[in-house]
Amino acid sequence: MDDRRGAPSIAQVSLIGLFVAALVTAQLTASKVLAFDLPVAFPVTGAELVLPGAALAYALTFLASDCYTELYGRRAAQIVVNVAFALNFVVLALVWSTIAAPAAETSVDPDAFATALGASTNVVLGSLLAYLVSQNWDVWLFHRIRDRTGRQKLWLRNLVSTGTSQAIDTVIFVSIAFAIAPAALGVGEVLPLEVLAALAVGQYLLKLAIAVLDTPIVYAVVALVRSRESHDAEDSHVV
């Protein structure tokens, strides 16, 4: 009997692992607001690009999900997306249980720890809705385009599905994580409207740039995995 029968492939585990690792990293780093100087001033953002610390990590989740969707289909991708959605609650429970636990004398300042990670509650709440809507939209639109194009024009479905889903994600996430949740829960700071707009634009511009730049990576990953799995399938038929 072949011990590999029914076992997930290295590619499947790697893409799911990348997806979950990037998602958790995004939740824990989003409360830090980053600022980068630009060579020229743009509308809304001005001469400074302001974005949540999670922007890069979260953009990687779309790269992983697009590769996974292309390789293993819509249903498999939606299972990954929705299971990872449930794991958001595990992250939230672990963070708050650690905040609530008594600190040793040698610990970092408990108040600073709570301030830094407690704000992740707002991030998680924002990401829950943003993630659920945008990732399912990404998978759905990716396959709608694939139904019309077949295996051709992977670049088109990658760019269109990622570009639109990240616009949806950015608006929902920024408004909840940095305005609605802090006001409702009293945890973290409610950012001014102009800062929220700059955050949304800055985050989306970065995500869009990554979506364009990661298209060759998506092609490379898909081609590599298909080649490897085809080779493994041929080996499995050799007696």
Side-chain angles (χ1 to χ4, degrees):
M1 180 181 292
D2 188 350
D3 291 338
R4 296 175 300 175
R5 183 177 299 173
S9 67
I10 293 176
Q12 285 178 293
V13 174
S14 298
L15 288 172
I16 293 173
L18 174 62
F19 185 89
V20 174
L23 180 63
V24 172
T25 301
Q27 292 172 355
L28 297 179
T29 58
S31 58
K32 179 175 180 178
V33 177
L34 309 180
F36 298 95
D37 292 331
L38 299 174
V40 294
F42 291 96
V44 182
T45 64
E48 187 177 61
L49 185 64
V50 180
L51 61 153
L56 176 59
Y58 201 64
L60 289 178
T61 66
F62 287 91
L63 183 148
S65 66
D66 282 351
C67 289
Y68 200 87
T69 302
E70 176 68 15
L71 289 165
Y72 305 111
R74 176 179 173 181
R75 176 168 172 74
Q78 285 182 323
I79 290 173
V80 173
V81 166
N82 292 320
V83 169
F85 169 77
L87 294 178
N88 279 283
F89 294 99
V90 176
V91 173
L92 187 60
L94 291 174
V95 166
W96 276 101
S97 64
T98 306
I99 290 173
E105 292 183 1
T106 55
S107 169
V108 298
D109 180 22
D111 291 334
F113 183 85
T115 298
L117 287 184
S120 65
T121 299
N122 302 331
V123 171
V124 171
L125 291 175
S127 68
L128 284 176
L129 182 56
Y131 170 89
L132 190 62
V133 175
S134 65
Q135 289 284 0
N136 279 288
W137 168 266
D138 183 62
V139 172
W140 176 83
L141 184 58
F142 188 97
H143 263 270
R144 287 284 294 187
I145 299 173
R146 195 179 194 280
D147 288 342
R148 293 177 176 271
T149 61
R151 284 195 173 188
Q152 304 301 315
K153 298 185 179 178
L154 173 57
W155 62 269
L156 177 64
R157 52 186 175 273
N158 179 64
L159 289 176
V160 174
S161 65
T162 300
T164 57
S165 60
Q166 293 208 15
I168 295 170
D169 173 83
T170 298
V171 172
I172 296 175
F173 172 73
V174 170
S175 60
I176 293 178
F178 297 102
I180 298 173
L185 300 178
V187 178
E189 180 184 359
V190 178
L191 299 183
L193 184 60
E194 61 271 17
V195 176
L196 292 174
L199 273 174
V201 172
Q203 183 176 4
Y204 182 68
L205 288 177
L206 177 64
K207 288 178 177 179
L208 191 60
I210 291 173
V212 173
L213 295 174
D214 76 13
T215 299
I217 299 175
V218 172
Y219 268 92
V221 170
V222 169
L224 176 63
V225 173
R226 281 180 174 158
S227 174
R228 179 63 182 174
E229 292 184 346
S230 176
H231 181 268
D232 289 346
E234 291 175 1
D235 286 347
S236 68
H237 286 88
V238 175
V239 179

